[in-house]
Amino acid sequence: MKHIRNAAVLAVFSVLLLAITSSSYGRTPGSIAPVQKCADLVNLKIAGMNVQITKAEAVPTTPPGTLRTPSLSPELIPVAIPAYCRVDGVIDPRTGVDARPYAIGFELRLPDNWNGRFLFQGGGGLNGNIIPPLGMPGASNNPGLARGFAVVSTDTGHKGAVFDASFMKDQIASLDFAYVAVGRVAVVSKEIIAQYYGQPAKHSYFGGCSTGGREGMMMSQRYPTYFDGIIVGDPAMRTGYSNIGLAYARGAFAKIAPKDASGKPDPTKDFSDGDKKLLAESIMKTCDEKDGLKDGMIFNPQACRYDPAVLQCKGAKTESCLTSQQVGALQEAFAGPKDSRGNHVYAPFPWDTGYVQGFGGPFMSFLPSPGPNILASVEQPIDVDVDTLVARVRENENQTLTDTTWTNLSSFFGHGGKLVFYHGTSDPVFSPFDTLAYYERMADANGGLDQVMNSSRFYFVPGMLHCEGGPAALDKFDLLAGVVDWVENGKAPDLVIATGKAFPGRSRPLCAYPKHAQYKGQGNPEDAGSFECVK
């Protein structure tokens, strides 16, 4: 009995000593400390897997405002990134059929003050590089790593430029990019976390935009038990068909383009800056107040029934009107491609000012503009029927691998998984209406919208371009906190507050579909509290 009492006293003393020691090193109350040294992880072995840790180093705290976001429009992160252990590694290194070296590369960041959660950060483009795993998508200006998440990202199995598709000659590399790499990295990361902290992650999350959004959808469909909460932004889904949509728009703009000195059409001259300003103002005049307030933002895109024909010149072209050719090209491009039977091959694009004004960069404009621009190239008018057939053949040959349109999520929802979508209403790459169409199909396949809203939400982000930015966008919103609260406390994110540098001092609620933010008719119009979510 005496030995038992002594053991009990020693155990209590050990707990108190650990608490004092942890406190002395500034640990956050309730956070979890590592049980081994960071540098020792270079010797880590995982049974049954070929994993090589190439680097394991301690990284000190990064002060606020000294680190930039890894994004299309980098900006300073206003919060500190606490000290962490950086782990670089590769999985299944090999030589491919093209004699190139391949491996699934990953970087995992393990905070000294761990909150017990794991966050997988999705990639972009065709990957080929590792985006620094901060945990940014859907996290506003407070990335997951700053909150104490263990965060990982991957190159999905190959090295190369962001849109270099040469790796697809190798079968395994194609499979890794499509879905295998994300699944493998998730398993390896969880094992490293468990060994480093002496316990497994309590909850696992995924967040990504564009290709990262597609990866998130893929995880819900092909690895339904790996994650508890998934955030999907502007997903690169149905790319064979979205490419038809973009080619169709390019063809519409090329048809009316003036010729340069060599006789080649120059679509960048289709619309002057004055034409674009005129069009943007006309769209706002028609659709801005449908959410109850004239504020330069369209929160109810489905109610926006705009037709640029209202601007068509009655006679000669002036600064206050558009030619019939300009009107026709706009109508054609925004309506999206239809086959000879009148069926939409790809979704239309909503009328929003971001499409008209752009914001610079290759993914930031819909109307052809000078400089790097996905719609500035010349495209001959396409045969929609033929191109659709080609897309279907390619889909059967290649894109089946990356397809994320499966709607059976019974196992993911069955274990309590939460799936959240967001999409900018000025995304010039992938139509937000196409993502919404998937959401509605998925809802129908899983008991209807009312049932699915117990597990999934969809949000339009007014004015936002591809994943971020926009001249009239509030693109900072914390869906990560919303999903965590939903998974761990059962509180669904019916709305999330958005802010952004386009409108300093302004906040708005992003409402879960089918509702939208509507001004109450009174109160500060710059404050989200003056709005309500209505159908």
Side-chain angles (χ1 to χ4, degrees), residues 170-362:
D170 186 277
Q171 182 182 4
I172 292 177
S174 295
L175 289 166
D176 284 343
F177 167 70
Y179 64 94
V180 172
V182 178
R184 297 277 280 172
V185 170
V187 171
V188 168
S189 298
K190 290 182 179 183
E191 181 62 30
I192 295 174
I193 287 169
Q195 292 194 34
Y196 186 60
Y197 294 108
Q199 58 183 283
K202 296 180 176 64
H203 296 283
S204 297
Y205 299 90
F206 188 101
C209 196
S210 194
T211 291
R214 176 191 66 79
E215 291 167 350
M217 294 176 69
M218 175 262 293
M219 295 309 289
S220 72
Q221 296 167 22
R222 300 191 189 189
Y223 298 92
T225 62
Y226 279 26
F227 293 94
D228 304 304
I230 296 175
I231 301 171
V232 172
D234 297 37
M237 56 178 286
R238 291 193 345 123
T239 53
Y241 297 96
S242 64
N243 287 337
I244 292 177
L246 294 181
Y248 185 76
R250 282 194 292 263
F253 293 130
K255 280 191 298 187
I256 69 165
K259 305 294 193 295
D260 61 18
S262 66
K264 181 181 178 181
D266 183 0
T268 66
K269 302 292 178 57
D270 283 352
F271 300 91
S272 68
D273 289 343
D275 291 337
K276 293 176 182 179
K277 183 174 183 294
L278 178 69
L279 179 59
E281 291 174 349
S282 180
I283 293 171
M284 279 297 166
K285 182 179 179 181
T286 301
C287 300
D288 187 356
E289 292 186 85
K290 291 187 180 297
D291 53 24
L293 183 68
K294 185 177 182 179
D295 59 358
M297 303 185 74
I298 299 172
F299 273 84
N300 191 0
Q302 291 179 296
C304 181
R305 302 288 187 263
Y306 180 75
D307 186 349
V310 298
L311 293 177
Q312 187 166 322
C313 300
K314 306 300 182 185
K317 172 75 170 79
T318 69
E319 294 182 356
S320 60
C321 67
L322 301 178
T323 67
S324 59
Q325 290 81 7
Q326 289 176 312
V327 168
L330 289 167
Q331 291 171 329
E332 191 173 335
F334 276 84
K338 293 182 180 180
D339 61 22
S340 57
R341 297 183 179 181
N343 299 312
H344 262 114
V345 171
Y346 188 68
F349 287 85
W351 290 99
D352 202 87
T353 55
Y355 290 110
V356 178
Q357 297 170 309
F359 214 52

Side-chain angles (χ1 to χ4, degrees), residues 35-45 53 55-58 85 87 195-196:
V35 297
Q36 61 176 283
K37 293 180 180 179
C38 175
D40 291 344
L41 288 177
V42 293
N43 301 314
L44 178 140
K45 303 295 180 184
I53 303 302
K55 177 189 289 187
E57 64 178 14
C85 172
V87 180
Q195 292 194 34
Y196 186 60

Side-chain angles (χ1 to χ4, degrees), residues 368-389:
S369 302
N373 189 296
I374 60 172
L375 287 179
S377 60
V378 176
E379 186 94 26
Q380 295 303 314
I382 68 172
D383 185 319
V384 175
D385 287 353
V386 172
D387 282 66
T388 302
L389 177 61

